[in-house]
Structure formats: structure tokens, C-alpha cells
Amino acid sequence: MDSSKNRWWLKKQKGASGVIDYVPVFLLVIFGAWMFLQAGLQLKYLDMLNRLQNITGKYILIMETQNGMTVQELEAFYHELSELGIEGGDIDMEGTTFWDGNIQYGDEIYLEVRMKVPYCRLLVSDTMRHIISMDKKEVSIVKCGLALT
């Protein structure tokens, strides 16, 4: 018997290598791009939360040193929030915000801001369609301090 006839299955056949070999690589690239986009959207949301913490921290410091906020400072606060994409109707504020003359040195001052923050996420509705969902997520930030003057 001829040994070359018995080993026909070991020979490389023409055209066997092709598109099928690249399907796993293509799927890996698609999955990697999807994960990269999803992570980017989450990092954007976390960056917005960090900015909100910084803005409210700045205004609680104003409240500590001046025993509250003036109307102009409150408008500036709303303006800074609107620059981040938060609309005025989505903001609910409580606390010792305005100066009323009753706050004394050492009294507790607090600022609680509840707002609806833009939140994006990637949804897969079916195997061929991806959608970026633009929702709003409610966030509450509470800052406390003591009146310094």
C-alpha cells in the first residue's frame, strides 16, 4: 500500500483557510469595541458625579463662611449645574441655603441637593442593533459644615 494515499486527510487542501478562520477575531474586535464604549459611558457618568461633588463642596464652603448663600450665588450654583446638562426643573434643594440672620457661629449648616443626572448606557435590542439609552438617574448629595462667622 502506498503511504501517501492513506494520509490524504493530513494534507492541506486548497481553500480551507479563509473567512471562517477570521470569524473569532472579528467577534473579539466587536466585543472589545462594545466593552470600550460601555466603559467610556460609565466613566463619563462617574466624572459627572465627581464634578457635582466638587460644585456642592464649593458652595457649602461659601455657606460656611457667609452663613448661607445670596440669591446671586444660588443663581451661579444653578448655572454651574446647567453647564453639566442638569436642567433647573430636575434640581431639588434643601438645607440652610439662604442667610436669614438666625445662623450663629458654630451652628450646623447643611446643603442637600437632589437632582436628575443624565445617564447613558449601551443597550443591545437584538443581535444587529445597538442603542445608546439617554436616561436620567436621581442623585442625592449631602454636605454639612459649621458656620464660621
Side-chain angles (χ1 to χ4, degrees):
M1 245 187 176
D2 189 359
S3 64
S4 63
K5 290 182 182 179
N6 290 338
R7 298 183 187 192
W8 61 270
W9 63 86
L10 295 177
K11 291 183 181 178
K12 183 177 179 183
Q13 297 179 3
K14 289 184 179 179
S17 177
V19 176
I20 301 279
D21 293 342
Y22 296 105
V23 168
V25 174
F26 179 72
L27 291 175
L28 185 64
V29 167
I30 294 295
F31 181 72
W34 185 79
M35 291 296 293
F36 183 75
L37 181 60
Q38 186 74 8
L41 291 172
Q42 294 300 315
L43 287 174
K44 182 179 176 184
Y45 175 71
L46 291 175
D47 181 53
M48 179 172 287
L49 291 181
N50 188 31
R51 288 181 182 187
L52 290 173
Q53 289 282 348
N54 290 340
I55 290 170
T56 53
K58 175 176 134 181
Y59 282 93
I60 193 69
L61 185 60
I62 289 170
M63 290 171 63
E64 286 176 350
T65 57
Q66 298 178 4
N67 295 341
M69 277 195 270
T70 63
V71 175
Q72 293 84 10
E73 290 163 343
L74 185 63
E75 288 174 0
F77 180 69
Y78 280 122
H79 179 70
E80 285 190 44
L81 293 179
S82 69
E83 287 178 348
L84 293 178
I86 301 168
E87 300 166 0
D90 292 337
I91 302 170
D92 182 27
M93 190 179 313
E94 291 181 11
T96 50
T97 309
F98 294 109
W99 182 78
D100 59 0
N102 294 330
I103 300 173
Q104 302 297 322
Y105 176 79
D107 288 347
E108 182 182 19
I109 292 178
Y110 74 97
L111 175 64
E112 180 178 356
V113 183
R114 288 185 300 279
M115 61 198 102
K116 293 182 182 176
V117 176
Y119 176 72
C120 301
R121 58 189 169 136
L122 187 64
L123 301 175
V124 180
S125 61
D126 57 32
T127 56
M128 299 304 285
R129 192 169 164 205
H130 303 289
I131 300 172
I132 295 180
S133 165
M134 302 288 275
D135 298 329
K136 291 190 176 185
K137 197 177 223 184
E138 187 157 331
V139 174
S140 179
I141 299 175
V142 179
K143 298 279 185 174
C144 297
L146 295 176
L148 300 175
T149 56

